[in-house]
Amino acid sequence: MLLRILGKSLARRRGRIAFAVVSVVMGAAVITALFAVSMDVEDQVSAEFRKYGANLVVVPQSDTIEVGFPGVTFGSVTEQGYIEEEDVWRIMRISWRTNILGFAPFLYSVVRADSETASQDVVMAGTYFDKQVEIIDRYSPSDPEAITTGISVINPWWLSKGDWIGRSDDYKSALVGINVAEKMDLELGDTFSISYEPYGGGNETTCDVTVVGLVETGGYEDNQVLVNLQLAQDMTNKTGKVHTIQVSALCTGCPVDTFAEEIESEIDYVEARTVKQLVSAEMSMLTKFEGMMAMVTMVAMAASVLGVTTTMTTSVIERQKEIGLMKSVGANRRRISALFLSEAAVIGTIGGVIGFIVGVFLARYIGLSVFDTAVSTNIILLPMAIGISVAVAVAASIIPVRRAQAVEPAVVLRGE
Amino acid sequence: MSAGIISADGVTKVYGGGTRALDGVTIDIEEGEWTCIVGPSGSGKTTLLNILSCLDSPTDGEVIIDGATVTGLSQDELTTFRKQNIGLIFQQYHLVPYLTALENVMMAQYFHSIVDEEEAEDVLRGVGLGHRLQHLPSQLSGGEQQRVCIARALVNEPSILLADEPTGNLDQENGRKVLELIRSLQKEGRTIIMVTHNPEISRLGDRIIEIVDGKVRSDLRTREE
């Protein structure tokens, strides 16, 4: 019977109900759109930011030696430090390891590159491209976990042409920065030689490598030749040594500083530096976006509450005789409340569903016009939009419902 | 005071602003009696009916209905008591405009206990509206609307029926039908209290209580016991 009363009552007041539904739709649409944009764009913004490189760089602690006499300082020299390659995997032992996308160690050396048409000194960077690394868990050391990491994982956008070096024991392949390729007239498939002569003299080592890919980052890598770490170590006689480790942490709200501290305690002779400008910019933009989202949501919710309250109050005033009659034939305050709150729930549900649909399109528009990206809406937002809309509609009806509860049948039924 | 089905003892009603609508009314109504309350406009007869029907509470005095003291009960307690014991018939019918005749009757069942559509149809047939079950109030004549109102009052089988000017908005023919219906309900054993300003109609009852300025001016029986 409640459904009959509800259905007919709503159908009879379609115009007013439509007004309330529209106000709920506004709120639900804004909430849906902003959550969709927030969820989708946050990920995309994070990915965009990560394109600029790793957000943590691990370097060895530098040993600085003062040079001069007592009281007279000429300056200082810094001894070249290294990180042991066998310690690199320990980065994945920090408590925030699930937030670490991957890492890549680097060993840099200046080498001479000779192609058929040119010869010049370039920086050779030995690194991991796509390497399987075993992580020994502190709590189950006998069951190591293998992960794949390297620059193809943390910086996949570096490769502009060709392929990554697929195997870590491939000594015959190299990736070449686009500036190097241009100056030395190198293309995919070309072979050139790299030679390393130790500082201070010694036997020169030479190796022929084939260009399998071109790298374009807009950074230093454009001027480098990238080879497997093992090759770089062998050529420079720095077996098991690396200079730096780049770490890519997925971080839209987690404390990167804490990552750094944990890495430093895990490998006690390194310093982990956050790429602070990058991280703070990332945080700042996302924080601003979330702040804006919260503000717009509150305004939209307030508009919804106002719309529903107005409609329900008008409804109670117009239906005072009906309420009085229902009370006179036995409806207690709970039944009267149930009737009006059910109406509010129906308004909230309809508004939530329509608002979700409108919100999906709104999200796409915002995504394309503001973030220049296509936003996909997660279906999980539908029950959320309905839930929030129903809650808002019901909350907005509390004052009108109290007014309905207070209707005195003796007064309204005699028309006073 | 004797123990009738309805007893009002020194009932006073003072509205906000000091208007004294009832002033120490004491009446005692027997079970199965048809009592007509008469009086000029503003005399307090509707206020008395509202108090006897538990729609309103007296400022002072005591009301006992079917052995239960109803003065001092909360609004929800009065509502519960009313739906179990009292049926109300209004001058303006007060039907829900978007519900059919049948649904208006079923609504009273819903707020009372459980909905029984067949029973609601039977009651409507009993007041001569078997052919108007699915009509909206706007599609019914005044007399038919009043009979829907009576059916709604009857469907939960109350022992007491209170009617406020039930023929006030009806033409003579429809008024006669409604009064015949009320007579038949009394014959079934129900106690009827009816407010009217029409002296001719009041003489149809067993008893006429005249209220003037909130006080019982006269209390007459229309026929010898």
Side-chain angles (χ1 to χ4, degrees):
Chain A
M1 192 64 209
L2 177 66
L3 292 179
R4 277 199 207 192
I5 296 172
L6 200 59
K8 292 198 169 188
S9 161
L10 291 171
R12 182 170 171 257
R13 295 174 297 115
R14 284 188 292 271
R16 288 201 189 286
I17 298 302
F19 174 76
V21 167
V22 166
S23 58
V24 174
V25 165
M26 286 194 311
V30 171
I31 290 166
T32 302
L34 291 178
F35 267 96
V37 170
S38 176
M39 286 166 71
D40 205 69
V41 172
E42 265 191 32
D43 290 345
Q44 294 194 29
V45 166
S46 294
E48 287 289 323
F49 276 119
R50 284 200 307 276
K51 281 184 186 174
Y52 298 116
N55 42 12
L56 274 170
V57 176
V58 181
V59 297
Q61 284 174 357
S62 56
D63 293 325
T64 304
I65 303 163
E66 298 295 325
V67 180
F69 303 103
V72 182
T73 304
F74 294 154
S76 63
V77 292
T78 303
E79 186 182 321
Q80 178 68 65
Y82 295 99
I83 302 169
E84 297 297 328
E85 189 188 353
E86 64 184 18
D87 292 331
V88 168
W89 63 273
R90 291 177 182 275
I91 284 167
M92 296 302 285
R93 285 196 10 170
I94 67 170
S95 60
W96 291 86
R97 61 183 164 275
T98 51
N99 290 63
I100 292 181
L101 183 67
F103 58 86
F106 286 86
L107 177 68
Y108 299 103
S109 316
V110 177
V111 295
R112 194 181 70 252
D114 295 295
S115 68
E116 287 181 359
T117 56
S119 173
Q120 75 168 88
D121 287 345
V122 295
V123 173
M124 176 179 70
T127 186
Y128 292 167
F129 292 93
D130 190 15
K131 185 179 168 72
Q132 277 224 328
V133 177
E134 285 195 339
I135 310 298
I136 301 167
D137 192 272
R138 187 176 281 110
Y139 303 106
S140 52
S142 60
D143 185 24
E145 179 194 0
I147 64 157
T148 302
T149 189
I151 58 173
S152 69
V153 174
I154 66 169
N155 298 314
W157 44 88
W158 280 14
L159 188 69
S160 70
K161 213 171 181 182
D163 294 307
W164 297 107
I165 299 172
R167 288 169 42 192
S168 56
D169 60 350
D170 182 348
Y171 285 16
K172 299 291 180 189
S173 301
L175 273 77
V176 180
I178 53 160
N179 293 343
V180 176
E182 192 181 335
K183 284 180 184 170
M184 298 188 64
D185 197 20
L186 291 171
E187 290 184 1
L188 292 179
D190 289 350
T191 300
F192 66 103
S193 69
I194 43 179
S195 306
Y196 175 76
E197 187 180 348
Y199 182 73
N203 294 333
E204 185 183 79
T205 51
T206 302
C207 181
D208 288 340
V209 290
T210 303
V211 179
V212 295
L214 297 180
V215 166
E216 183 176 7
T217 68
Y220 301 122
E221 295 79 13
D222 293 353
N223 301 312
Q224 294 176 354
V225 173
L226 283 82
V227 296
N228 262 317
L229 178 63
Q230 190 81 46
L231 173 60
Q233 288 172 336
D234 288 353
M235 282 186 70
T236 58
N237 199 25
K238 295 191 175 81
T239 307
K241 309 284 186 193
V242 301
H243 283 121
T244 64
I245 311 165
Q246 290 190 8
V247 183
S248 180
L250 287 168
C251 212
T252 55
C254 46
V256 179
D257 286 336
T258 307
F259 286 27
E261 284 171 17
E262 285 203 41
I263 290 170
E264 285 174 4
S265 65
E266 192 61 46
I267 310 171
D268 58 8
Y269 59 94
V270 301
E271 289 176 27
R273 294 173 187 165
T274 61
V275 184
K276 284 198 171 172
Q277 288 169 322
L278 177 66
V279 175
S280 59
E282 182 177 343
M283 296 293 190
S284 169
M285 183 165 171
L286 287 172
T287 305
K288 278 180 187 168
F289 180 75
E290 282 167 359
M292 184 193 80
M293 191 190 88
M295 203 168 67
V296 175
T297 302
M298 278 196 291
V299 172
M301 299 266 266
S304 298
V305 167
L306 202 62
V308 175
T309 303
T310 305
T311 303
M312 295 303 280
T313 302
T314 309
S315 173
V316 168
I317 291 169
E318 284 178 348
R319 297 166 70 190
Q320 284 198 83
K321 276 206 161 93
E322 193 182 316
I323 297 165
L325 170 74
M326 288 175 176
K327 285 188 166 184
S328 77
V329 297
N332 56 23
R333 287 184 298 179
R334 193 170 52 82
R335 288 284 182 98
I336 296 292
S337 304
L339 182 63
F340 281 89
L341 291 177
S342 301
E343 278 194 14
V346 170
I347 289 169
T349 305
I350 297 170
V353 171
I354 299 173
F356 171 78
I357 295 166
V358 174
V360 167
F361 288 102
L362 192 59
R364 286 186 187 168
Y365 175 76
I366 293 171
L368 288 172
S369 60
V370 180
F371 295 97
D372 199 24
T373 181
V375 171
S376 61
T377 307
N378 194 326
I379 195 68
I380 192 83
L381 289 177
L382 176 60
M384 191 200 76
I386 294 173
I388 291 176
S389 300
V390 169
V392 165
V394 167
S397 303
I398 288 174
I399 293 173
V401 164
R402 287 201 174 152
R403 194 171 180 149
Q405 287 176 337
V407 166
E408 291 183 36
V411 174
V412 295
L413 293 181
R414 68 169 176 249
E416 286 176 14
Chain B
M1 202 165 97
S2 64
I5 192 165
I6 298 176
S7 299
D9 185 15
V11 168
T12 297
K13 180 70 181 180
V14 181
Y15 288 114
T19 305
R20 187 171 283 262
L22 291 177
D23 189 6
V25 171
T26 297
I27 54 173
D28 192 45
I29 293 165
E30 296 298 323
E31 189 172 2
E33 203 170 53
W34 180 352
T35 304
C36 291
I37 299 173
V38 298
S41 292
S43 60
K45 55 187 187 299
T46 297
T47 301
L48 177 61
L49 195 75
N50 285 339
I51 288 171
L52 298 182
S53 60
C54 300
L55 288 175
D56 205 352
S57 299
T59 312
D60 197 14
E62 187 179 59
V63 177
I64 298 171
I65 301 174
D66 205 12
T69 303
V70 296
T71 36
L73 295 182
S74 69
Q75 282 301 315
D76 275 352
E77 286 169 334
L78 285 174
T79 300
T80 303
F81 185 84
R82 184 168 58 246
K83 75 180 181 185
Q84 287 168 347
N85 298 281
I86 299 168
L88 296 173
I89 302 167
F90 303 99
Q91 181 180 3
Q92 282 114 357
Y93 330 128
H94 292 311
L95 301 178
V96 179
Y98 53 84
L99 298 180
T100 63
L102 180 62
E103 287 167 342
N104 265 283
V105 176
M106 287 161 63
M107 184 187 72
Q109 290 179 315
Y110 170 69
F111 288 126
H112 178 269
S113 50
I114 54 166
V115 176
D116 184 338
E117 193 165 343
E118 279 185 27
E119 188 184 0
E121 285 177 8
D122 288 344
V123 177
L124 277 167
R125 284 192 196 98
V127 297
L129 289 175
H131 61 301
R132 301 294 233 176
L133 300 177
Q134 301 303 331
H135 286 67
L136 292 171
S138 59
Q139 297 168 317
L140 300 173
S141 70
E144 287 171 329
Q145 288 186 57
Q146 188 57 287
R147 280 185 279 160
V148 175
C149 178
I150 292 169
R152 183 181 63 196
L154 291 175
V155 73
N156 294 320
E157 300 182 350
S159 55
I160 302 164
L161 279 177
L162 292 141
D164 188 2
E165 302 272 13
T167 59
N169 283 353
L170 302 180
D171 58 37
Q172 199 171 7
E173 176 59 20
N174 276 310
R176 187 184 57 75
K177 285 181 182 172
V178 166
L179 290 170
E180 280 175 7
L181 188 58
I182 291 172
R183 168 66 71 197
S184 67
L185 295 172
Q186 186 210 4
K187 282 180 179 167
E188 288 171 10
R190 289 189 172 84
T191 306
I192 314 281
I193 301 174
M194 186 171 83
V195 164
T196 180
H197 65 277
N198 186 326
E200 199 177 327
I201 292 172
S202 69
R203 280 194 285 276
L204 294 172
D206 304 320
R207 186 175 167 191
I208 302 171
I209 297 173
E210 186 183 14
I211 306 284
V212 176
D213 293 335
K215 293 179 180 173
V216 176
R217 184 177 184 178
S218 64
D219 185 351
L220 303 169
R221 297 210 169 266
T222 55
R223 52 187 75 88
E224 292 303 317
E225 296 286 334

